[in-house]
Amino acid sequence: MEWTLERLNQFVTVADCGSMTQAARRLGRAQSAVSMAMGLLEADLGLALFQRIGRSVHLTPAGEVMLVEARALLNQAQALDLRAQALAAGQAAQLCVAIDEALPYPPIARLLRELAQQFPALELTLLNGTAAEVAQTVQSRQAALAFQFVRGPADAQFAQSYVAGVPQMVFVARDHPLAAKTRITREDLASHRQLVMHIEDVEDLVISPRIWRSESFYVLADMLADGIGWGILPRNIAEAPGIEPRIVALDCPELRLPPLAVRMLSLQGATLDGTALWLQQRLAELLILGD
């Protein structure tokens, strides 16, 4: 077969216009050239694609099937061209990113939508897990970079970059004894069980002598909502649909918590391309906006 992408494009245009003359105007070609191209395409395919009625043309049943195939081929050709241009411009062909499951979802969702638009040729693999798990994916070279809540100093093998901060507060179940108090002191907190984030020997601020630990913010939030104890949570975790109605924030003037930092991890010495740097900058903007 000797058909070309140019002829397929002409075929789609004629089908869309329903007229050789209108298609020729849209394509900037002579009507006779478009008509000849369609005749050659029909000869190459061995199919009648159009029924010609006066100055109008209508797809035959075979033509309707071939139109679907032609559109698919043209879309694939466009995707190939876009990917070649992106690679020629130095963009990454593939990228594996690990994201801490506790990070705020709306900014992450918007980040991925914008990534798809900004880098249409990119082949992305997305991994999720706890802060410790996403760091492990970078350590094992499964992921090129990871975004996580800061849980203590990063190992020397990692390069780290600050991204943004997420507000965190002290929370307790609505029926917990502490929820009845207007203002809470550190002494009040120390008299009740504390639920603490604990990852690889790194813990949140410990105030109570009675402690339960978890490496997952979501597990911690569930235990907290069940009245097992009080704990410190990022605001986005506390606002989760299954958690927010069951808990309340505590006002403790003696305990002013800074925002929980978010960082990007990669291996020391690794070269970060424009895609990775765009991800870091855009996620920082979205987290600051709270979007």
Side-chain angles (χ1 to χ4, degrees):
M1 291 185 181
E2 298 181 0
W3 51 265
T4 63
L5 291 175
E6 181 181 4
R7 285 184 185 165
L8 290 182
N9 183 54
Q10 292 174 333
F11 166 51
V12 170
T13 305
V14 171
D16 288 343
C17 291
S19 164
M20 296 284 183
T21 302
Q22 292 181 20
R25 288 175 184 160
R26 182 180 294 182
L27 294 166
R29 293 178 174 271
Q31 187 273 335
S32 59
V34 174
S35 181
M36 181 180 293
M38 292 304 93
L40 292 172
L41 181 60
E42 288 178 320
D44 287 339
L45 296 174
L47 295 170
L49 300 174
F50 297 103
Q51 293 177 337
R52 292 156 178 83
I53 304 173
R55 295 185 178 182
S56 298
V57 292
H58 301 278
L59 288 169
T60 63
E64 291 178 354
V65 173
M66 295 308 298
L67 179 62
V68 175
E69 297 287 353
R71 290 191 194 279
L73 277 172
L74 290 172
N75 286 337
Q76 290 175 6
Q78 183 181 30
L80 184 147
D81 187 53
L82 287 174
R83 175 162 287 193
Q85 292 179 32
L87 294 176
Q91 293 181 15
Q94 298 175 321
L95 182 64
C96 182
V97 181
I99 297 180
D100 188 335
E101 64 185 8
L103 291 179
Y105 178 74
I108 295 297
R110 180 169 174 181
L111 178 72
L112 296 177
R113 291 195 301 271
E114 294 185 5
L115 177 66
Q117 296 173 351
Q118 187 77 14
F119 301 95
L122 178 68
E123 182 177 315
L124 178 70
T125 300
L126 195 63
L127 305 176
N128 294 89
T130 64
E133 289 169 344
V134 298
Q136 178 61 36
T137 65
V138 175
Q139 183 179 29
S140 64
R141 300 179 185 273
Q142 185 179 3
L145 57 141
F147 294 98
Q148 62 164 193
F149 276 126
V150 173
R151 309 308 303 164
D155 290 343
Q157 63 191 305
F158 293 117
Q160 62 176 329
S161 302
Y162 173 79
V163 176
V166 174
Q168 57 179 344
M169 300 175 66
V170 178
F171 292 93
V172 73
R174 290 186 179 273
D175 58 355
H176 191 281
L178 288 175
K181 292 179 174 288
T182 304
R183 291 218 167 171
I184 304 296
T185 65
R186 291 176 69 101
E187 185 178 355
D188 292 327
L189 294 175
S191 65
H192 293 271
R193 182 184 295 111
Q194 181 179 357
L195 307 179
V196 177
M197 275 294 293
H198 177 91
I199 300 177
E200 296 180 351
D201 298 325
V202 177
E203 291 186 338
D204 280 332
L205 173 68
V206 175
I207 295 176
S208 172
R210 292 181 291 164
I211 296 174
W212 281 22
R213 299 179 175 89
S214 174
E215 66 172 6
S216 167
F217 271 123
Y218 286 103
V219 173
L220 204 70
D222 273 328
M223 291 194 297
L224 190 153
D226 285 339
I228 293 174
W230 65 269
I232 300 170
L233 295 177
R235 188 171 63 189
N236 64 289
I237 300 294
E239 292 174 349
I243 300 297
E244 186 176 25
R246 303 158 58 198
I247 66 174
V248 64
L250 297 180
D251 180 15
C252 184
E254 298 176 13
L255 190 62
R256 298 301 181 188
L257 299 170
L260 184 56
V262 178
R263 66 186 170 195
M264 183 176 76
L265 293 181
S266 59
L267 286 178
Q268 287 284 6
T271 301
L272 298 181
D273 64 11
T275 308
L277 297 176
W278 180 90
L279 281 168
Q280 178 187 359
Q281 179 180 347
R282 187 59 183 140
L283 181 56
E285 294 169 350
L286 293 173
L287 286 173
I288 291 171
L289 291 172
D291 191 357

